[in-house]
């Protein structure tokens, strides 16, 4: 017998599993190269060489009792200092080791900070479309998720609705830029306006409202677009970062939280977050990976490979007559379904072995997400199939 709170998660999980199994079934039947699986955000670009070299060297040269040992719950101090200095160089911030807590990826970082700040019944605001796991994370601490409806013209956050939905009970707002599932990067102007709304509401209610910046895609930005560093715009910002996509290490589970000194009560929040890391059961982030990150702190994956996929898929879909905002970050396209029922559209795609995720999985029906972190051949070979799919809906090729 399982806990009642788990029942909806188990039911929902079966939908995701069904999609995954469907992909495997089609690959077995037609061959992996004949299936265009755009469903998973699993990086297709390998981790940079320095990751492998660092692992080998660390294992051969470091004292194993340190390398594989327990440590401070926040992580190795030298590793946190190296990352803090890298952030300072890149963004003109002034962090030090004490502002960082190493986490088991972004997912764990979000759980740590929500456990740290959230009382039961308090509200966390998210902008649709959003990574649906946020809802589960907020429920973990008996918080209440409040959704802001999408601005489908720009997919920038709808700040007018934000103003209306912040209450005395609002504890945090989560943003994610570059964004899953739209690939949009929030502009500096948007960030400034968002900060102004939060400042005004903090004053109105006399409460702290945290801005949680979920940033697993920070390094995946194209066309030279600038991804603003949010702690510089709003002092009650906590950054959640991950190396899952930026170094293609999703299975290694490594990331960090930044809790700046400027954040209200920062010393207490930092101490509590370290404890949350421990009592949530992670204890600390994986030790070997922490040391690897310190050695690869300024390394990058081949972002140009994603960029090529982005442009070829985007241009190819536009030529078929589909509508989609041109993404400037992450590795997703969020395409308008030619019919209101986007789940039916996803089903139709399967006839051509095209696998897409319905927008309702991101609280934004009427759209589908394509993860273009696939091989370039998959992109090129999928385009004639997309053309056939488009023709079914009478879309006119351009
Ligand atoms: N946040 C967003 C927006 C994501 O897309 C993902 C993963 O896809 C995560 C968080 C979780 O990332 P991690 O693998 O670092 O836990």
């Amino acid at each position: 017998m399982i806990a009642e709170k788990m029942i909806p998660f188990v039911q929902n999980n079966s939908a995701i599993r069904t999609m995954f199994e469907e992909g495997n079934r089609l690959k077995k039947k037609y061959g992996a190269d004949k299936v265009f699986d755009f469903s998973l955000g699993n990086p297709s670009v390998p981790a940079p060489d320095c990751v492998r070299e660092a692992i080998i060297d660390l294992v051969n040269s470091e004292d194993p009792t340190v390398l594989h040992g327990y440590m401070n719950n926040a992580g190795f101090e030298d590793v946190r200092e190296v990352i803090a200095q890298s952030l300072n160089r890149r963004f003109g911030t002034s962090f030090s080791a004490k502002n960082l807590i190493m986490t088991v990826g972004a997912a764990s970082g979000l759980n740590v900070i929500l456990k740290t700040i959230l009382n039961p019944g308090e509200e966390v605001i998210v902008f649709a479309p959003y990574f649906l796991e946020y809802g589960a994370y907020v429920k973990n601490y008996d918080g209440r998720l409040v959704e802001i409806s999408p601005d489908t013209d720009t997919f920038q956050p709808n700040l007018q609705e934000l103003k209306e939905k912040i209450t005395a009970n609002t504890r945090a707002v989560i943003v994610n830029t570059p964004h899953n599932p739209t690939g949009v990067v929030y502009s500096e102007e948007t960030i400034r306006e968002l900060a102004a709304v939060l400042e005004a509401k903090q004053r109105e209610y006399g409460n702290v409202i945290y801005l949680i910046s979920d940033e697993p895609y920070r390094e995946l930005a194209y066309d030279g677009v600038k991804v603003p560093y949010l702690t510089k715009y709003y002092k009650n910002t906590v950054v959640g970062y991950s190396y899952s996509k930026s170094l293609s290490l999703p299975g290694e589970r490594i990331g960090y939280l930044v809790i700046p000194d400027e954040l209200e009560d920062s010393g207490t929040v930092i101490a509590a977050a370290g404890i949350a890391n421990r009592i949530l059961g992670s204890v600390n982030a994986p030790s070997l990976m922490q040391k690897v990150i310190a050695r690869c702190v300024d390394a990058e994956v081949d972002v140009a490979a994603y960029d090529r996929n982005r442009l070829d898929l985007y241009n190819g879909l536009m030529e078929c007559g589909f509508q989609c905002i041109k993404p400037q970050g992450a590795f997703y396209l969020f395409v308008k379904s030619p019919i209101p029922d986007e789940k039916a559209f996803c089903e139709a795609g399967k006839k051509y072995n095209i696998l897409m995720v319905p927008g309702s999985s991101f609280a934004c029906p009427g759209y589908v997400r394509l993860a273009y972190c696939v091989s370039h051949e998959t992109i090129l070979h999928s385009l004639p199939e997309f053309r056939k799919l488009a023709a079914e809906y009478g879309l006119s090729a351009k």
Side-chain angles (χ1 to χ4, degrees), residues 104-107 110 131 134 176 180 214 216-217 242 244-245 253 332:
V104 183
L110 289 167
F131 182 56
Y134 294 154
N176 163 229
N180 176 10
D214 178 29
Y217 303 97
S242 162
S244 293
K245 324 282 171 166
R253 314 303 308 136
Y332 306 108

mmCIF file with all atom_site columns, all heavy atoms in Angstrom, residues 104-107 110 131 134 176 180 214 216-217 242 244-245 253 332, ligand 1:
data_model
loop_
_atom_site.group_PDB
_atom_site.id
_atom_site.type_symbol
_atom_site.label_atom_id
_atom_site.label_alt_id
_atom_site.label_comp_id
_atom_site.label_asym_id
_atom_site.label_entity_id
_atom_site.label_seq_id
_atom_site.pdbx_PDB_ins_code
_atom_site.Cartn_x
_atom_site.Cartn_y
_atom_site.Cartn_z
_atom_site.occupancy
_atom_site.B_iso_or_equiv
_atom_site.pdbx_formal_charge
_atom_site.auth_seq_id
_atom_site.auth_comp_id
_atom_site.auth_asym_id
_atom_site.auth_atom_id
_atom_site.pdbx_PDB_model_num
ATOM   1   N N   . VAL A 1 104 ? 22.712 17.583 -6.090  1.00 0.00 ? 104 VAL A N   1
ATOM   2   C CA  . VAL A 1 104 ? 22.592 16.420 -6.967  1.00 0.00 ? 104 VAL A CA  1
ATOM   3   C C   . VAL A 1 104 ? 21.766 16.844 -8.198  1.00 0.00 ? 104 VAL A C   1
ATOM   4   O O   . VAL A 1 104 ? 20.618 16.443 -8.371  1.00 0.00 ? 104 VAL A O   1
ATOM   5   C CB  . VAL A 1 104 ? 21.959 15.254 -6.169  1.00 0.00 ? 104 VAL A CB  1
ATOM   6   C CG1 . VAL A 1 104 ? 21.880 13.994 -7.013  1.00 0.00 ? 104 VAL A CG1 1
ATOM   7   C CG2 . VAL A 1 104 ? 22.784 14.970 -4.917  1.00 0.00 ? 104 VAL A CG2 1
ATOM   8   N N   . GLY A 1 105 ? 22.354 17.743 -8.998  1.00 0.00 ? 105 GLY A N   1
ATOM   9   C CA  . GLY A 1 105 ? 21.657 18.267 -10.173 1.00 0.00 ? 105 GLY A CA  1
ATOM   10  C C   . GLY A 1 105 ? 20.700 19.392 -9.796  1.00 0.00 ? 105 GLY A C   1
ATOM   11  O O   . GLY A 1 105 ? 20.556 19.761 -8.617  1.00 0.00 ? 105 GLY A O   1
ATOM   12  N N   . ALA A 1 106 ? 20.032 19.929 -10.833 1.00 0.00 ? 106 ALA A N   1
ATOM   13  C CA  . ALA A 1 106 ? 19.084 21.026 -10.609 1.00 0.00 ? 106 ALA A CA  1
ATOM   14  C C   . ALA A 1 106 ? 17.857 20.548 -9.845  1.00 0.00 ? 106 ALA A C   1
ATOM   15  O O   . ALA A 1 106 ? 17.309 21.269 -9.008  1.00 0.00 ? 106 ALA A O   1
ATOM   16  C CB  . ALA A 1 106 ? 18.665 21.624 -11.952 1.00 0.00 ? 106 ALA A CB  1
ATOM   17  N N   . ALA A 1 107 ? 17.433 19.323 -10.129 1.00 0.00 ? 107 ALA A N   1
ATOM   18  C CA  . ALA A 1 107 ? 16.224 18.785 -9.475  1.00 0.00 ? 107 ALA A CA  1
ATOM   19  C C   . ALA A 1 107 ? 16.418 18.799 -7.964  1.00 0.00 ? 107 ALA A C   1
ATOM   20  O O   . ALA A 1 107 ? 15.539 19.230 -7.203  1.00 0.00 ? 107 ALA A O   1
ATOM   21  C CB  . ALA A 1 107 ? 15.949 17.375 -9.978  1.00 0.00 ? 107 ALA A CB  1
ATOM   22  N N   . LEU A 1 110 ? 16.550 22.407 -6.534  1.00 0.00 ? 110 LEU A N   1
ATOM   23  C CA  . LEU A 1 110 ? 15.218 23.008 -6.360  1.00 0.00 ? 110 LEU A CA  1
ATOM   24  C C   . LEU A 1 110 ? 14.546 22.457 -5.106  1.00 0.00 ? 110 LEU A C   1
ATOM   25  O O   . LEU A 1 110 ? 13.926 23.195 -4.338  1.00 0.00 ? 110 LEU A O   1
ATOM   26  C CB  . LEU A 1 110 ? 14.348 22.718 -7.595  1.00 0.00 ? 110 LEU A CB  1
ATOM   27  C CG  . LEU A 1 110 ? 14.749 23.477 -8.861  1.00 0.00 ? 110 LEU A CG  1
ATOM   28  C CD1 . LEU A 1 110 ? 14.048 22.893 -10.093 1.00 0.00 ? 110 LEU A CD1 1
ATOM   29  C CD2 . LEU A 1 110 ? 14.400 24.959 -8.726  1.00 0.00 ? 110 LEU A CD2 1
ATOM   30  N N   . PHE A 1 131 ? 8.334  23.371 -16.707 1.00 0.00 ? 131 PHE A N   1
ATOM   31  C CA  . PHE A 1 131 ? 8.799  22.004 -16.423 1.00 0.00 ? 131 PHE A CA  1
ATOM   32  C C   . PHE A 1 131 ? 7.886  21.443 -15.330 1.00 0.00 ? 131 PHE A C   1
ATOM   33  O O   . PHE A 1 131 ? 7.882  21.953 -14.198 1.00 0.00 ? 131 PHE A O   1
ATOM   34  C CB  . PHE A 1 131 ? 10.249 22.133 -15.944 1.00 0.00 ? 131 PHE A CB  1
ATOM   35  C CG  . PHE A 1 131 ? 10.978 20.876 -15.623 1.00 0.00 ? 131 PHE A CG  1
ATOM   36  C CD1 . PHE A 1 131 ? 11.110 19.852 -16.550 1.00 0.00 ? 131 PHE A CD1 1
ATOM   37  C CD2 . PHE A 1 131 ? 11.618 20.736 -14.386 1.00 0.00 ? 131 PHE A CD2 1
ATOM   38  C CE1 . PHE A 1 131 ? 11.842 18.708 -16.248 1.00 0.00 ? 131 PHE A CE1 1
ATOM   39  C CE2 . PHE A 1 131 ? 12.343 19.603 -14.083 1.00 0.00 ? 131 PHE A CE2 1
ATOM   40  C CZ  . PHE A 1 131 ? 12.454 18.584 -15.017 1.00 0.00 ? 131 PHE A CZ  1
ATOM   41  N N   . TYR A 1 134 ? 8.106  20.923 -11.401 1.00 0.00 ? 134 TYR A N   1
ATOM   42  C CA  . TYR A 1 134 ? 8.010  21.966 -10.378 1.00 0.00 ? 134 TYR A CA  1
ATOM   43  C C   . TYR A 1 134 ? 6.808  21.693 -9.466  1.00 0.00 ? 134 TYR A C   1
ATOM   44  O O   . TYR A 1 134 ? 6.873  21.923 -8.263  1.00 0.00 ? 134 TYR A O   1
ATOM   45  C CB  . TYR A 1 134 ? 7.827  23.361 -10.995 1.00 0.00 ? 134 TYR A CB  1
ATOM   46  C CG  . TYR A 1 134 ? 8.985  23.892 -11.811 1.00 0.00 ? 134 TYR A CG  1
ATOM   47  C CD1 . TYR A 1 134 ? 8.753  24.834 -12.818 1.00 0.00 ? 134 TYR A CD1 1
ATOM   48  C CD2 . TYR A 1 134 ? 10.294 23.497 -11.576 1.00 0.00 ? 134 TYR A CD2 1
ATOM   49  C CE1 . TYR A 1 134 ? 9.796  25.365 -13.570 1.00 0.00 ? 134 TYR A CE1 1
ATOM   50  C CE2 . TYR A 1 134 ? 11.344 24.015 -12.335 1.00 0.00 ? 134 TYR A CE2 1
ATOM   51  C CZ  . TYR A 1 134 ? 11.088 24.938 -13.340 1.00 0.00 ? 134 TYR A CZ  1
ATOM   52  O OH  . TYR A 1 134 ? 12.119 25.450 -14.086 1.00 0.00 ? 134 TYR A OH  1
ATOM   53  N N   . ASN A 1 176 ? 12.876 30.098 -15.476 1.00 0.00 ? 176 ASN A N   1
ATOM   54  C CA  . ASN A 1 176 ? 13.797 29.167 -16.130 1.00 0.00 ? 176 ASN A CA  1
ATOM   55  C C   . ASN A 1 176 ? 14.161 29.778 -17.478 1.00 0.00 ? 176 ASN A C   1
ATOM   56  O O   . ASN A 1 176 ? 13.323 29.880 -18.354 1.00 0.00 ? 176 ASN A O   1
ATOM   57  C CB  . ASN A 1 176 ? 13.060 27.814 -16.281 1.00 0.00 ? 176 ASN A CB  1
ATOM   58  C CG  . ASN A 1 176 ? 13.712 26.895 -17.290 1.00 0.00 ? 176 ASN A CG  1
ATOM   59  O OD1 . ASN A 1 176 ? 13.038 26.342 -18.154 1.00 0.00 ? 176 ASN A OD1 1
ATOM   60  N ND2 . ASN A 1 176 ? 15.005 26.724 -17.182 1.00 0.00 ? 176 ASN A ND2 1
ATOM   61  N N   . ASN A 1 180 ? 12.870 25.689 -20.965 1.00 0.00 ? 180 ASN A N   1
ATOM   62  C CA  . ASN A 1 180 ? 12.247 24.430 -21.377 1.00 0.00 ? 180 ASN A CA  1
ATOM   63  C C   . ASN A 1 180 ? 10.760 24.605 -21.150 1.00 0.00 ? 180 ASN A C   1
ATOM   64  O O   . ASN A 1 180 ? 10.381 24.891 -20.007 1.00 0.00 ? 180 ASN A O   1
ATOM   65  C CB  . ASN A 1 180 ? 12.800 23.300 -20.495 1.00 0.00 ? 180 ASN A CB  1
ATOM   66  C CG  . ASN A 1 180 ? 12.152 21.965 -20.781 1.00 0.00 ? 180 ASN A CG  1
ATOM   67  O OD1 . ASN A 1 180 ? 11.416 21.813 -21.745 1.00 0.00 ? 180 ASN A OD1 1
ATOM   68  N ND2 . ASN A 1 180 ? 12.412 20.984 -19.926 1.00 0.00 ? 180 ASN A ND2 1
ATOM   69  N N   . ASP A 1 214 ? 16.057 28.779 -12.233 1.00 0.00 ? 214 ASP A N   1
ATOM   70  C CA  . ASP A 1 214 ? 16.411 27.391 -12.561 1.00 0.00 ? 214 ASP A CA  1
ATOM   71  C C   . ASP A 1 214 ? 17.169 27.432 -13.899 1.00 0.00 ? 214 ASP A C   1
ATOM   72  O O   . ASP A 1 214 ? 16.579 27.715 -14.933 1.00 0.00 ? 214 ASP A O   1
ATOM   73  C CB  . ASP A 1 214 ? 15.102 26.589 -12.668 1.00 0.00 ? 214 ASP A CB  1
ATOM   74  C CG  . ASP A 1 214 ? 15.344 25.150 -13.047 1.00 0.00 ? 214 ASP A CG  1
ATOM   75  O OD1 . ASP A 1 214 ? 16.418 24.609 -12.718 1.00 0.00 ? 214 ASP A OD1 1
ATOM   76  O OD2 . ASP A 1 214 ? 14.440 24.539 -13.676 1.00 0.00 ? 214 ASP A OD2 1
ATOM   77  N N   . PRO A 1 216 ? 19.481 25.141 -15.846 1.00 0.00 ? 216 PRO A N   1
ATOM   78  C CA  . PRO A 1 216 ? 20.283 24.063 -16.441 1.00 0.00 ? 216 PRO A CA  1
ATOM   79  C C   . PRO A 1 216 ? 20.728 24.355 -17.875 1.00 0.00 ? 216 PRO A C   1
ATOM   80  O O   . PRO A 1 216 ? 21.645 23.707 -18.364 1.00 0.00 ? 216 PRO A O   1
ATOM   81  C CB  . PRO A 1 216 ? 19.380 22.829 -16.391 1.00 0.00 ? 216 PRO A CB  1
ATOM   82  C CG  . PRO A 1 216 ? 18.038 23.295 -15.997 1.00 0.00 ? 216 PRO A CG  1
ATOM   83  C CD  . PRO A 1 216 ? 18.117 24.712 -15.532 1.00 0.00 ? 216 PRO A CD  1
ATOM   84  N N   . TYR A 1 217 ? 20.068 25.319 -18.539 1.00 0.00 ? 217 TYR A N   1
ATOM   85  C CA  . TYR A 1 217 ? 20.395 25.568 -19.952 1.00 0.00 ? 217 TYR A CA  1
ATOM   86  C C   . TYR A 1 217 ? 21.211 26.841 -20.152 1.00 0.00 ? 217 TYR A C   1
ATOM   87  O O   . TYR A 1 217 ? 21.343 27.318 -21.277 1.00 0.00 ? 217 TYR A O   1
ATOM   88  C CB  . TYR A 1 217 ? 19.097 25.641 -20.777 1.00 0.00 ? 217 TYR A CB  1
ATOM   89  C CG  . TYR A 1 217 ? 18.271 24.393 -20.646 1.00 0.00 ? 217 TYR A CG  1
ATOM   90  C CD1 . TYR A 1 217 ? 17.209 24.331 -19.742 1.00 0.00 ? 217 TYR A CD1 1
ATOM   91  C CD2 . TYR A 1 217 ? 18.588 23.251 -21.374 1.00 0.00 ? 217 TYR A CD2 1
ATOM   92  C CE1 . TYR A 1 217 ? 16.475 23.169 -19.582 1.00 0.00 ? 217 TYR A CE1 1
ATOM   93  C CE2 . TYR A 1 217 ? 17.859 22.083 -21.219 1.00 0.00 ? 217 TYR A CE2 1
ATOM   94  C CZ  . TYR A 1 217 ? 16.806 22.052 -20.330 1.00 0.00 ? 217 TYR A CZ  1
ATOM   95  O OH  . TYR A 1 217 ? 16.077 20.891 -20.178 1.00 0.00 ? 217 TYR A OH  1
ATOM   96  N N   . SER A 1 242 ? 23.005 23.437 -13.037 1.00 0.00 ? 242 SER A N   1
ATOM   97  C CA  . SER A 1 242 ? 23.239 22.006 -13.229 1.00 0.00 ? 242 SER A CA  1
ATOM   98  C C   . SER A 1 242 ? 24.231 21.806 -14.361 1.00 0.00 ? 242 SER A C   1
ATOM   99  O O   . SER A 1 242 ? 24.268 22.596 -15.316 1.00 0.00 ? 242 SER A O   1
ATOM   100 C CB  . SER A 1 242 ? 21.910 21.352 -13.595 1.00 0.00 ? 242 SER A CB  1
ATOM   101 O OG  . SER A 1 242 ? 22.141 20.103 -14.174 1.00 0.00 ? 242 SER A OG  1
ATOM   102 N N   . SER A 1 244 ? 24.042 18.987 -16.044 1.00 0.00 ? 244 SER A N   1
ATOM   103 C CA  . SER A 1 244 ? 23.394 17.930 -16.834 1.00 0.00 ? 244 SER A CA  1
ATOM   104 C C   . SER A 1 244 ? 23.451 18.235 -18.326 1.00 0.00 ? 244 SER A C   1
ATOM   105 O O   . SER A 1 244 ? 23.693 17.346 -19.141 1.00 0.00 ? 244 SER A O   1
ATOM   106 C CB  . SER A 1 244 ? 21.934 17.779 -16.421 1.00 0.00 ? 244 SER A CB  1
ATOM   107 O OG  . SER A 1 244 ? 21.843 17.280 -15.108 1.00 0.00 ? 244 SER A OG  1
ATOM   108 N N   . LYS A 1 245 ? 23.185 19.485 -18.682 1.00 0.00 ? 245 LYS A N   1
ATOM   109 C CA  . LYS A 1 245 ? 23.158 19.849 -20.100 1.00 0.00 ? 245 LYS A CA  1
ATOM   110 C C   . LYS A 1 245 ? 24.440 20.599 -20.475 1.00 0.00 ? 245 LYS A C   1
ATOM   111 O O   . LYS A 1 245 ? 24.953 20.426 -21.569 1.00 0.00 ? 245 LYS A O   1
ATOM   112 C CB  . LYS A 1 245 ? 21.945 20.732 -20.415 1.00 0.00 ? 245 LYS A CB  1
ATOM   113 C CG  . LYS A 1 245 ? 20.680 20.397 -19.653 1.00 0.00 ? 245 LYS A CG  1
ATOM   114 C CD  . LYS A 1 245 ? 19.927 19.194 -20.167 1.00 0.00 ? 245 LYS A CD  1
ATOM   115 C CE  . LYS A 1 245 ? 18.812 18.822 -19.195 1.00 0.00 ? 245 LYS A CE  1
ATOM   116 N NZ  . LYS A 1 245 ? 17.844 17.913 -19.688 1.00 0.00 ? 245 LYS A NZ  1
ATOM   117 N N   . ARG A 1 253 ? 24.497 13.524 -11.994 1.00 0.00 ? 253 ARG A N   1
ATOM   118 C CA  . ARG A 1 253 ? 23.766 14.244 -10.964 1.00 0.00 ? 253 ARG A CA  1
ATOM   119 C C   . ARG A 1 253 ? 24.628 15.254 -10.221 1.00 0.00 ? 253 ARG A C   1
ATOM   120 O O   . ARG A 1 253 ? 24.964 15.074 -9.042  1.00 0.00 ? 253 ARG A O   1
ATOM   121 C CB  . ARG A 1 253 ? 23.114 13.262 -9.956  1.00 0.00 ? 253 ARG A CB  1
ATOM   122 C CG  . ARG A 1 253 ? 22.391 12.090 -10.570 1.00 0.00 ? 253 ARG A CG  1
ATOM   123 C CD  . ARG A 1 253 ? 21.290 12.495 -11.534 1.00 0.00 ? 253 ARG A CD  1
ATOM   124 N NE  . ARG A 1 253 ? 20.350 13.446 -10.974 1.00 0.00 ? 253 ARG A NE  1
ATOM   125 C CZ  . ARG A 1 253 ? 19.915 14.522 -11.659 1.00 0.00 ? 253 ARG A CZ  1
ATOM   126 N NH1 . ARG A 1 253 ? 20.304 14.759 -12.899 1.00 0.00 ? 253 ARG A NH1 1
ATOM   127 N NH2 . ARG A 1 253 ? 19.062 15.349 -11.104 1.00 0.00 ? 253 ARG A NH2 1
ATOM   128 N N   . TYR A 1 332 ? 15.190 22.957 -27.452 1.00 0.00 ? 332 TYR A N   1
ATOM   129 C CA  . TYR A 1 332 ? 13.794 22.619 -27.712 1.00 0.00 ? 332 TYR A CA  1
ATOM   130 C C   . TYR A 1 332 ? 13.162 23.593 -28.705 1.00 0.00 ? 332 TYR A C   1
ATOM   131 O O   . TYR A 1 332 ? 13.500 24.774 -28.714 1.00 0.00 ? 332 TYR A O   1
ATOM   132 C CB  . TYR A 1 332 ? 12.988 22.681 -26.407 1.00 0.00 ? 332 TYR A CB  1
ATOM   133 C CG  . TYR A 1 332 ? 13.559 21.852 -25.291 1.00 0.00 ? 332 TYR A CG  1
ATOM   134 C CD1 . TYR A 1 332 ? 14.173 22.451 -24.192 1.00 0.00 ? 332 TYR A CD1 1
ATOM   135 C CD2 . TYR A 1 332 ? 13.501 20.460 -25.340 1.00 0.00 ? 332 TYR A CD2 1
ATOM   136 C CE1 . TYR A 1 332 ? 14.714 21.689 -23.167 1.00 0.00 ? 332 TYR A CE1 1
ATOM   137 C CE2 . TYR A 1 332 ? 14.033 19.694 -24.324 1.00 0.00 ? 332 TYR A CE2 1
ATOM   138 C CZ  . TYR A 1 332 ? 14.638 20.311 -23.233 1.00 0.00 ? 332 TYR A CZ  1
ATOM   139 O OH  . TYR A 1 332 ? 15.175 19.553 -22.223 1.00 0.00 ? 332 TYR A OH  1
HETATM 140 N N1  . LIG B 2 .   ? 14.761 22.226 -14.719 1.00 0.00 ? 1   LIG B N1  1
HETATM 141 C C1  . LIG B 2 .   ? 14.466 22.137 -16.028 1.00 0.00 ? 1   LIG B C1  1
HETATM 142 C C2  . LIG B 2 .   ? 13.778 23.278 -16.676 1.00 0.00 ? 1   LIG B C2  1
HETATM 143 C C3  . LIG B 2 .   ? 14.804 20.999 -16.760 1.00 0.00 ? 1   LIG B C3  1
HETATM 144 O O1  . LIG B 2 .   ? 14.491 20.931 -18.065 1.00 0.00 ? 1   LIG B O1  1
HETATM 145 C C4  . LIG B 2 .   ? 15.456 19.932 -16.114 1.00 0.00 ? 1   LIG B C4  1
HETATM 146 C C5  . LIG B 2 .   ? 15.787 18.699 -16.827 1.00 0.00 ? 1   LIG B C5  1
HETATM 147 O O2  . LIG B 2 .   ? 15.490 18.477 -17.953 1.00 0.00 ? 1   LIG B O2  1
HETATM 148 C C6  . LIG B 2 .   ? 15.748 20.068 -14.742 1.00 0.00 ? 1   LIG B C6  1
HETATM 149 C C7  . LIG B 2 .   ? 15.383 21.217 -14.074 1.00 0.00 ? 1   LIG B C7  1
HETATM 150 C C8  . LIG B 2 .   ? 16.427 18.963 -13.985 1.00 0.00 ? 1   LIG B C8  1
HETATM 151 O O3  . LIG B 2 .   ? 17.779 18.934 -14.316 1.00 0.00 ? 1   LIG B O3  1
HETATM 152 P P1  . LIG B 2 .   ? 18.828 17.998 -13.568 1.00 0.00 ? 1   LIG B P1  1
HETATM 153 O O4  . LIG B 2 .   ? 19.140 16.859 -14.473 1.00 0.00 ? 1   LIG B O4  1
HETATM 154 O O5  . LIG B 2 .   ? 20.019 18.852 -13.357 1.00 0.00 ? 1   LIG B O5  1
HETATM 155 O O6  . LIG B 2 .   ? 18.237 17.584 -12.282 1.00 0.00 ? 1   LIG B O6  1
#
